[in-house]
mmCIF file of all heavy atoms in Angstrom:
data_model
loop_
_atom_site.group_PDB
_atom_site.id
_atom_site.type_symbol
_atom_site.label_atom_id
_atom_site.label_comp_id
_atom_site.label_asym_id
_atom_site.label_seq_id
_atom_site.Cartn_x
_atom_site.Cartn_y
_atom_site.Cartn_z
ATOM 1 N N ASN A 340 84.452 108.947 102.154
ATOM 2 C CA ASN A 340 83.504 108.646 101.025
ATOM 3 C C ASN A 340 83.151 107.148 100.885
ATOM 4 O O ASN A 340 82.604 106.752 99.850
ATOM 5 C CB ASN A 340 84.037 109.200 99.718
ATOM 6 C CG ASN A 340 85.316 108.515 99.214
ATOM 7 O OD1 ASN A 340 85.927 107.630 99.918
ATOM 8 N ND2 ASN A 340 85.878 108.884 98.104
ATOM 9 N N ASP A 341 83.445 106.343 101.911
ATOM 10 C CA ASP A 341 83.025 104.952 101.849
ATOM 11 C C ASP A 341 81.636 104.837 102.451
ATOM 12 O O ASP A 341 81.509 104.285 103.589
ATOM 13 C CB ASP A 341 84.075 103.961 102.568
ATOM 14 C CG ASP A 341 84.419 104.422 103.956
ATOM 15 O OD1 ASP A 341 84.127 105.516 104.355
ATOM 16 O OD2 ASP A 341 84.921 103.540 104.633
ATOM 17 N N TYR A 342 80.697 105.412 101.744
ATOM 18 C CA TYR A 342 79.308 105.466 102.288
ATOM 19 C C TYR A 342 78.694 104.120 102.456
ATOM 20 O O TYR A 342 78.935 103.218 101.692
ATOM 21 C CB TYR A 342 78.501 106.407 101.358
ATOM 22 C CG TYR A 342 79.015 107.813 101.285
ATOM 23 C CD1 TYR A 342 79.604 108.330 100.112
ATOM 24 C CD2 TYR A 342 78.870 108.655 102.455
ATOM 25 C CE1 TYR A 342 80.070 109.572 100.064
ATOM 26 C CE2 TYR A 342 79.351 109.932 102.305
ATOM 27 C CZ TYR A 342 79.968 110.411 101.177
ATOM 28 O OH TYR A 342 80.441 111.701 101.100
ATOM 29 N N THR A 343 77.713 104.082 103.337
ATOM 30 C CA THR A 343 77.018 102.732 103.548
ATOM 31 C C THR A 343 75.656 103.148 104.091
ATOM 32 O O THR A 343 75.273 104.278 104.164
ATOM 33 C CB THR A 343 77.771 102.049 104.677
ATOM 34 O OG1 THR A 343 77.146 100.725 104.851
ATOM 35 C CG2 THR A 343 77.795 102.759 106.059
ATOM 36 N N LEU A 344 74.875 102.084 104.250
ATOM 37 C CA LEU A 344 73.587 102.251 104.841
ATOM 38 C C LEU A 344 73.674 102.972 106.144
ATOM 39 O O LEU A 344 74.302 102.426 107.013
ATOM 40 C CB LEU A 344 72.847 100.905 105.027
ATOM 41 C CG LEU A 344 71.387 100.966 105.464
ATOM 42 C CD1 LEU A 344 70.490 101.498 104.453
ATOM 43 C CD2 LEU A 344 70.939 99.489 105.933
ATOM 44 N N PRO A 345 73.040 104.138 106.274
ATOM 45 C CA PRO A 345 73.251 104.958 107.531
ATOM 46 C C PRO A 345 72.536 104.366 108.708
ATOM 47 O O PRO A 345 71.664 104.948 109.376
ATOM 48 C CB PRO A 345 72.768 106.312 107.116
ATOM 49 C CG PRO A 345 71.693 106.000 106.154
ATOM 50 C CD PRO A 345 72.200 104.843 105.359
ATOM 51 N N TYR A 346 73.031 103.160 109.208
ATOM 52 C CA TYR A 346 72.497 102.538 110.362
ATOM 53 C C TYR A 346 73.320 102.937 111.625
ATOM 54 O O TYR A 346 72.764 103.353 112.669
ATOM 55 C CB TYR A 346 72.506 101.078 110.230
ATOM 56 C CG TYR A 346 71.904 100.298 111.417
ATOM 57 C CD1 TYR A 346 70.502 100.418 111.628
ATOM 58 C CD2 TYR A 346 72.603 99.540 112.273
ATOM 59 C CE1 TYR A 346 69.930 99.701 112.704
ATOM 60 C CE2 TYR A 346 72.027 98.851 113.240
ATOM 61 C CZ TYR A 346 70.667 98.929 113.590
ATOM 62 O OH TYR A 346 70.220 98.341 114.612
ATOM 63 N N LEU A 347 74.701 102.922 111.413
ATOM 64 C CA LEU A 347 75.621 103.381 112.527
ATOM 65 C C LEU A 347 76.137 104.787 112.162
ATOM 66 O O LEU A 347 76.370 105.618 113.058
ATOM 67 C CB LEU A 347 76.736 102.404 112.649
ATOM 68 C CG LEU A 347 76.409 100.988 112.975
ATOM 69 C CD1 LEU A 347 77.628 100.135 112.972
ATOM 70 C CD2 LEU A 347 75.786 100.872 114.334
ATOM 71 N N ALA A 348 76.295 104.989 110.904
ATOM 72 C CA ALA A 348 76.910 106.238 110.408
ATOM 73 C C ALA A 348 76.804 106.266 108.957
ATOM 74 O O ALA A 348 76.454 105.363 108.247
ATOM 75 C CB ALA A 348 78.310 106.431 110.865
ATOM 76 N N LEU A 349 77.081 107.448 108.375
ATOM 77 C CA LEU A 349 77.042 107.558 106.917
ATOM 78 C C LEU A 349 78.171 106.960 106.266
ATOM 79 O O LEU A 349 77.893 106.447 105.035
ATOM 80 C CB LEU A 349 77.023 109.140 106.579
ATOM 81 C CG LEU A 349 75.878 110.044 106.925
ATOM 82 C CD1 LEU A 349 76.176 111.491 106.544
ATOM 83 C CD2 LEU A 349 74.643 109.544 106.257
ATOM 84 N N THR A 350 79.182 106.680 106.888
ATOM 85 C CA THR A 350 80.282 105.962 106.295
ATOM 86 C C THR A 350 80.648 104.734 107.074
ATOM 87 O O THR A 350 80.398 104.686 108.366
ATOM 88 C CB THR A 350 81.572 106.867 106.114
ATOM 89 O OG1 THR A 350 82.146 107.244 107.435
ATOM 90 C CG2 THR A 350 81.246 108.145 105.414
ATOM 91 N N ARG A 351 81.361 103.826 106.504
ATOM 92 C CA ARG A 351 81.828 102.586 107.191
ATOM 93 C C ARG A 351 83.034 102.917 108.229
ATOM 94 O O ARG A 351 83.225 102.194 109.208
ATOM 95 C CB ARG A 351 82.256 101.575 106.222
ATOM 96 C CG ARG A 351 81.075 100.990 105.435
ATOM 97 C CD ARG A 351 81.454 99.637 104.745
ATOM 98 N NE ARG A 351 82.573 99.776 103.909
ATOM 99 C CZ ARG A 351 82.480 100.224 102.627
ATOM 100 N NH1 ARG A 351 81.350 100.439 102.027
ATOM 101 N NH2 ARG A 351 83.562 100.263 101.906
ATOM 102 N N GLY A 352 83.836 103.945 107.784
ATOM 103 C CA GLY A 352 85.020 104.279 108.626
ATOM 104 C C GLY A 352 86.153 103.405 108.265
ATOM 105 O O GLY A 352 87.200 103.589 108.898
ATOM 106 N N ALA A 353 86.012 102.501 107.287
ATOM 107 C CA ALA A 353 87.143 101.525 106.980
ATOM 108 C C ALA A 353 88.281 102.289 106.417
ATOM 109 O O ALA A 353 89.515 101.999 106.702
ATOM 110 C CB ALA A 353 86.752 100.517 106.000
ATOM 111 N N LYS A 354 88.120 103.366 105.574
ATOM 112 C CA LYS A 354 89.093 104.109 104.917
ATOM 113 C C LYS A 354 89.925 104.966 106.036
ATOM 114 O O LYS A 354 91.111 105.106 105.970
ATOM 115 C CB LYS A 354 88.620 105.033 103.870
ATOM 116 C CG LYS A 354 88.117 104.267 102.614
ATOM 117 C CD LYS A 354 87.527 105.218 101.520
ATOM 118 C CE LYS A 354 88.795 105.932 100.935
ATOM 119 N NZ LYS A 354 88.337 106.719 99.765
ATOM 120 N N VAL A 355 89.136 105.435 106.962
ATOM 121 C CA VAL A 355 89.810 106.187 107.987
ATOM 122 C C VAL A 355 90.678 105.190 108.894
ATOM 123 O O VAL A 355 91.827 105.630 109.312
ATOM 124 C CB VAL A 355 88.777 106.924 109.017
ATOM 125 C CG1 VAL A 355 89.447 107.455 110.239
ATOM 126 C CG2 VAL A 355 87.988 107.986 108.179
ATOM 127 N N ASP A 356 90.140 104.055 109.215
ATOM 128 C CA ASP A 356 90.915 103.107 109.917
ATOM 129 C C ASP A 356 92.189 102.723 109.253
ATOM 130 O O ASP A 356 93.311 102.678 109.877
ATOM 131 C CB ASP A 356 90.076 101.825 110.319
ATOM 132 C CG ASP A 356 88.839 102.094 111.109
ATOM 133 O OD1 ASP A 356 88.910 103.120 111.806
ATOM 134 O OD2 ASP A 356 88.016 101.241 111.188
ATOM 135 N N ALA A 357 92.151 102.467 107.959
ATOM 136 C CA ALA A 357 93.243 102.067 107.160
ATOM 137 C C ALA A 357 94.264 103.137 107.098
ATOM 138 O O ALA A 357 95.508 102.909 107.243
ATOM 139 C CB ALA A 357 92.831 101.685 105.774
ATOM 140 N N GLY A 358 93.814 104.411 106.999
ATOM 141 C CA GLY A 358 94.707 105.545 106.842
ATOM 142 C C GLY A 358 95.486 105.795 108.181
ATOM 143 O O GLY A 358 96.681 106.009 108.225
ATOM 144 N N LEU A 359 94.792 105.694 109.298
ATOM 145 C CA LEU A 359 95.473 105.787 110.659
ATOM 146 C C LEU A 359 96.414 104.658 110.930
ATOM 147 O O LEU A 359 97.517 104.933 111.368
ATOM 148 C CB LEU A 359 94.441 105.798 111.811
ATOM 149 C CG LEU A 359 93.503 107.100 111.843
ATOM 150 C CD1 LEU A 359 92.443 106.960 112.863
ATOM 151 C CD2 LEU A 359 94.302 108.296 112.156
ATOM 152 N N ALA A 360 96.104 103.483 110.546
ATOM 153 C CA ALA A 360 96.976 102.341 110.705
ATOM 154 C C ALA A 360 98.276 102.501 109.836
ATOM 155 O O ALA A 360 99.333 102.255 110.161
ATOM 156 C CB ALA A 360 96.318 101.071 110.354
ATOM 157 N N GLU A 361 98.073 103.029 108.575
ATOM 158 C CA GLU A 361 99.204 103.215 107.669
ATOM 159 C C GLU A 361 100.132 104.349 108.191
ATOM 160 O O GLU A 361 101.399 104.237 108.127
ATOM 161 C CB GLU A 361 98.667 103.670 106.364
ATOM 162 C CG GLU A 361 99.750 103.940 105.380
ATOM 163 C CD GLU A 361 99.180 104.411 103.930
ATOM 164 O OE1 GLU A 361 97.954 104.322 103.798
ATOM 165 O OE2 GLU A 361 99.961 104.835 103.076
ATOM 166 N N ARG A 362 99.596 105.391 108.867
ATOM 167 C CA ARG A 362 100.271 106.476 109.327
ATOM 168 C C ARG A 362 101.099 106.239 110.510
ATOM 169 O O ARG A 362 102.181 106.641 110.733
ATOM 170 C CB ARG A 362 99.368 107.647 109.437
ATOM 171 C CG ARG A 362 100.036 109.007 109.834
ATOM 172 C CD ARG A 362 99.088 110.241 109.600
ATOM 173 N NE ARG A 362 99.713 111.392 109.920
ATOM 174 C CZ ARG A 362 99.315 112.632 109.488
ATOM 175 N NH1 ARG A 362 98.298 112.656 108.611
ATOM 176 N NH2 ARG A 362 99.867 113.769 109.907
ATOM 177 N N PHE A 363 100.376 105.534 111.584
ATOM 178 C CA PHE A 363 100.896 105.455 112.845
ATOM 179 C C PHE A 363 101.250 103.974 113.202
ATOM 180 O O PHE A 363 101.966 103.708 114.339
ATOM 181 C CB PHE A 363 99.976 106.066 113.868
ATOM 182 C CG PHE A 363 99.700 107.516 113.729
ATOM 183 C CD1 PHE A 363 98.579 107.902 113.161
ATOM 184 C CD2 PHE A 363 100.670 108.385 114.148
ATOM 185 C CE1 PHE A 363 98.359 109.238 112.979
ATOM 186 C CE2 PHE A 363 100.458 109.758 113.980
ATOM 187 C CZ PHE A 363 99.252 110.286 113.381
ATOM 188 N N GLY A 364 100.896 103.061 112.373
ATOM 189 C CA GLY A 364 101.299 101.636 112.624
ATOM 190 C C GLY A 364 100.777 101.153 114.010
ATOM 191 O O GLY A 364 99.693 101.355 114.439
ATOM 192 N N THR A 365 101.778 100.454 114.602
ATOM 193 C CA THR A 365 101.449 99.919 115.974
ATOM 194 C C THR A 365 101.940 100.769 117.120
ATOM 195 O O THR A 365 102.070 100.341 118.276
ATOM 196 C CB THR A 365 102.124 98.442 116.093
ATOM 197 O OG1 THR A 365 103.402 98.614 115.896
ATOM 198 C CG2 THR A 365 101.444 97.587 115.145
ATOM 199 N N ALA A 366 102.354 102.016 116.809
ATOM 200 C CA ALA A 366 102.898 102.877 117.892
ATOM 201 C C ALA A 366 101.943 103.053 119.016
ATOM 202 O O ALA A 366 100.735 103.093 118.765
ATOM 203 C CB ALA A 366 103.260 104.240 117.233
ATOM 204 N N THR A 367 102.499 103.129 120.238
ATOM 205 C CA THR A 367 101.628 103.344 121.437
ATOM 206 C C THR A 367 102.029 104.792 121.971
ATOM 207 O O THR A 367 103.064 105.327 121.866
ATOM 208 C CB THR A 367 101.920 102.324 122.431
ATOM 209 O OG1 THR A 367 103.299 102.332 122.844
ATOM 210 C CG2 THR A 367 101.485 100.856 121.980
ATOM 211 N N ILE A 368 100.931 105.330 122.658
ATOM 212 C CA ILE A 368 101.165 106.697 123.278
ATOM 213 C C ILE A 368 102.264 106.722 124.176
ATOM 214 O O ILE A 368 103.089 107.816 124.171
ATOM 215 C CB ILE A 368 99.813 107.188 123.898
ATOM 216 C CG1 ILE A 368 98.679 107.297 122.853
ATOM 217 C CG2 ILE A 368 99.900 108.375 124.693
ATOM 218 C CD1 ILE A 368 97.402 107.559 123.382
ATOM 219 N N GLU A 369 102.431 105.756 124.958
ATOM 220 C CA GLU A 369 103.461 105.755 126.004
ATOM 221 C C GLU A 369 104.796 105.653 125.395
ATOM 222 O O GLU A 369 105.863 105.758 126.122
ATOM 223 C CB GLU A 369 103.221 104.784 127.118
ATOM 224 C CG GLU A 369 103.101 103.408 126.671
ATOM 225 C CD GLU A 369 101.706 102.930 126.375
ATOM 226 O OE1 GLU A 369 100.960 103.773 125.714
ATOM 227 O OE2 GLU A 369 101.258 101.807 126.728
ATOM 228 N N ASN A 370 104.967 105.215 124.087
ATOM 229 C CA ASN A 370 106.265 105.046 123.468
ATOM 230 C C ASN A 370 106.394 106.002 122.281
ATOM 231 O O ASN A 370 106.715 105.540 121.178
ATOM 232 C CB ASN A 370 106.428 103.552 123.047
ATOM 233 C CG ASN A 370 106.616 102.627 124.267
ATOM 234 O OD1 ASN A 370 107.425 102.841 125.103
ATOM 235 N ND2 ASN A 370 105.775 101.745 124.371
ATOM 236 N N LEU A 371 106.106 107.266 122.486
ATOM 237 C CA LEU A 371 106.315 108.283 121.543
ATOM 238 C C LEU A 371 107.445 109.181 122.074
ATOM 239 O O LEU A 371 107.740 109.252 123.217
ATOM 240 C CB LEU A 371 105.089 109.148 121.328
ATOM 241 C CG LEU A 371 103.890 108.409 120.758
ATOM 242 C CD1 LEU A 371 102.700 109.335 120.670
ATOM 243 C CD2 LEU A 371 104.169 107.802 119.369
ATOM 244 N N TRP A 372 108.166 109.866 121.093
ATOM 245 C CA TRP A 372 109.282 110.729 121.551
ATOM 246 C C TRP A 372 108.893 111.965 122.472
ATOM 247 O O TRP A 372 109.597 112.324 123.326
ATOM 248 C CB TRP A 372 110.106 111.225 120.360
ATOM 249 C CG TRP A 372 110.766 110.186 119.672
ATOM 250 C CD1 TRP A 372 110.653 109.828 118.334
ATOM 251 C CD2 TRP A 372 111.909 109.342 120.242
ATOM 252 N NE1 TRP A 372 111.510 108.669 118.127
ATOM 253 C CE2 TRP A 372 112.263 108.419 119.212
ATOM 254 C CE3 TRP A 372 112.467 109.249 121.519
ATOM 255 C CZ2 TRP A 372 113.232 107.452 119.395
ATOM 256 C CZ3 TRP A 372 113.351 108.320 121.685
ATOM 257 C CH2 TRP A 372 113.825 107.386 120.687
ATOM 258 N N LEU A 373 107.682 112.369 122.266
ATOM 259 C CA LEU A 373 107.210 113.503 123.114
ATOM 260 C C LEU A 373 105.970 112.929 123.869
ATOM 261 O O LEU A 373 105.177 112.207 123.318
ATOM 262 C CB LEU A 373 106.661 114.747 122.296
ATOM 263 C CG LEU A 373 107.828 115.676 121.958
ATOM 264 C CD1 LEU A 373 108.882 115.197 121.058
ATOM 265 C CD2 LEU A 373 107.179 116.990 121.241
ATOM 266 N N PRO A 374 105.761 113.324 125.148
ATOM 267 C CA PRO A 374 104.552 113.036 125.851
ATOM 268 C C PRO A 374 103.297 113.584 125.034
ATOM 269 O O PRO A 374 103.384 114.741 124.554
ATOM 270 C CB PRO A 374 104.689 113.723 127.227
ATOM 271 C CG PRO A 374 106.142 113.863 127.325
ATOM 272 C CD PRO A 374 106.627 114.044 126.026
ATOM 273 N N PHE A 375 102.304 112.752 124.905
ATOM 274 C CA PHE A 375 101.074 113.119 124.038
ATOM 275 C C PHE A 375 99.783 112.638 124.745
ATOM 276 O O PHE A 375 99.812 111.611 125.485
ATOM 277 C CB PHE A 375 101.252 112.369 122.714
ATOM 278 C CG PHE A 375 100.024 112.332 121.905
ATOM 279 C CD1 PHE A 375 99.651 113.399 121.145
ATOM 280 C CD2 PHE A 375 99.272 111.117 121.857
ATOM 281 C CE1 PHE A 375 98.426 113.376 120.357
ATOM 282 C CE2 PHE A 375 98.100 111.153 121.069
ATOM 283 C CZ PHE A 375 97.681 112.268 120.367
ATOM 284 N N PHE A 376 98.761 113.389 124.482
ATOM 285 C CA PHE A 376 97.445 112.917 124.859
ATOM 286 C C PHE A 376 96.421 113.374 123.794
ATOM 287 O O PHE A 376 96.660 114.420 123.069
ATOM 288 C CB PHE A 376 97.004 113.533 126.245
ATOM 289 C CG PHE A 376 96.729 115.031 126.310
ATOM 290 C CD1 PHE A 376 95.500 115.523 125.933
ATOM 291 C CD2 PHE A 376 97.742 115.917 126.611
ATOM 292 C CE1 PHE A 376 95.249 116.784 125.871
ATOM 293 C CE2 PHE A 376 97.492 117.273 126.623
ATOM 294 C CZ PHE A 376 96.279 117.751 126.318
ATOM 295 N N CYS A 377 95.242 112.783 123.726
ATOM 296 C CA CYS A 377 94.157 113.360 122.938
ATOM 297 C C CYS A 377 92.868 113.043 123.569
ATOM 298 O O CYS A 377 92.845 112.375 124.589
ATOM 299 C CB CYS A 377 94.226 112.726 121.500
ATOM 300 S SG CYS A 377 93.835 110.846 121.451
ATOM 301 N N VAL A 378 91.857 113.711 123.154
ATOM 302 C CA VAL A 378 90.551 113.780 123.886
ATOM 303 C C VAL A 378 89.546 113.228 122.967
ATOM 304 O O VAL A 378 89.397 113.469 121.687
ATOM 305 C CB VAL A 378 90.231 115.220 124.192
ATOM 306 C CG1 VAL A 378 88.855 115.303 124.919
ATOM 307 C CG2 VAL A 378 91.298 115.778 125.199
ATOM 308 N N SER A 379 88.663 112.379 123.540
ATOM 309 C CA SER A 379 87.385 111.888 122.807
ATOM 310 C C SER A 379 86.279 112.180 123.834
ATOM 311 O O SER A 379 86.483 112.495 124.967
ATOM 312 C CB SER A 379 87.502 110.451 122.558
ATOM 313 O OG SER A 379 87.503 109.578 123.689
ATOM 314 N N SER A 380 85.028 112.012 123.357
ATOM 315 C CA SER A 380 83.854 112.223 124.193
ATOM 316 C C SER A 380 83.205 110.826 124.532
ATOM 317 O O SER A 380 82.883 110.031 123.636
ATOM 318 C CB SER A 380 82.824 113.080 123.479
ATOM 319 O OG SER A 380 83.361 114.363 123.185
ATOM 320 N N ASN A 381 83.138 110.496 125.852
ATOM 321 C CA ASN A 381 82.587 109.231 126.282
ATOM 322 C C ASN A 381 81.090 109.490 126.476
ATOM 323 O O ASN A 381 80.572 110.073 127.427
ATOM 324 C CB ASN A 381 83.171 108.871 127.582
ATOM 325 C CG ASN A 381 82.826 107.459 127.905
ATOM 326 O OD1 ASN A 381 81.769 107.015 127.749
ATOM 327 N ND2 ASN A 381 83.801 106.698 128.492
ATOM 328 N N LEU A 382 80.317 108.870 125.503
ATOM 329 C CA LEU A 382 78.843 109.091 125.577
ATOM 330 C C LEU A 382 78.237 108.200 126.712
ATOM 331 O O LEU A 382 77.122 108.484 127.155
ATOM 332 C CB LEU A 382 78.171 108.591 124.301
ATOM 333 C CG LEU A 382 78.557 109.596 122.989
ATOM 334 C CD1 LEU A 382 77.784 108.989 121.802
ATOM 335 C CD2 LEU A 382 78.306 110.905 123.303
ATOM 336 N N THR A 383 78.894 107.251 127.155
ATOM 337 C CA THR A 383 78.394 106.378 128.226
ATOM 338 C C THR A 383 78.478 107.163 129.476
ATOM 339 O O THR A 383 77.507 107.043 130.344
ATOM 340 C CB THR A 383 79.270 105.023 128.361
ATOM 341 O OG1 THR A 383 79.200 104.293 127.098
ATOM 342 C CG2 THR A 383 78.805 104.162 129.480
ATOM 343 N N THR A 384 79.550 107.756 129.825
ATOM 344 C CA THR A 384 79.804 108.465 131.047
ATOM 345 C C THR A 384 79.274 109.969 130.973
ATOM 346 O O THR A 384 79.157 110.602 131.969
ATOM 347 C CB THR A 384 81.241 108.437 131.544
ATOM 348 O OG1 THR A 384 82.015 109.108 130.597
ATOM 349 C CG2 THR A 384 81.585 107.057 131.650
ATOM 350 N N GLY A 385 79.204 110.514 129.750
ATOM 351 C CA GLY A 385 78.839 111.880 129.583
ATOM 352 C C GLY A 385 80.033 112.819 129.890
ATOM 353 O O GLY A 385 79.838 113.964 130.384
ATOM 354 N N SER A 386 81.251 112.295 129.793
ATOM 355 C CA SER A 386 82.397 113.117 130.144
ATOM 356 C C SER A 386 83.482 112.961 129.023
ATOM 357 O O SER A 386 83.489 112.035 128.229
ATOM 358 C CB SER A 386 83.003 112.744 131.484
ATOM 359 O OG SER A 386 83.384 111.375 131.504
#
């Protein structure tokens, strides 16, 4: 709900960034107790 002028998106994303940082801190994927992966969509490569 941190709405902004919809030039890049409807929201600034600052609250999401802060929430993820608060939840996961500086943890890295290769240093988690279980092997983990996640998926995003690369608009540059289309994959």
Side-chain angles (χ1 to χ4, degrees):
N340 64 357
D341 54 343
Y342 299 109
T343 184
L344 183 69
Y346 183 71
L347 300 176
L349 291 177
T350 67
R351 294 194 301 272
K354 292 182 70 174
V355 171
D356 293 343
L359 291 173
E361 178 184 352
R362 183 165 179 157
F363 298 102
T365 59
T367 57
I368 294 176
E369 55 269 44
N370 291 306
L371 298 176
W372 290 119
L373 271 64
F375 164 79
F376 71 85
C377 67
V378 177
S379 66
S380 299
N381 190 324
L382 297 184
T383 302
T384 63
S386 61

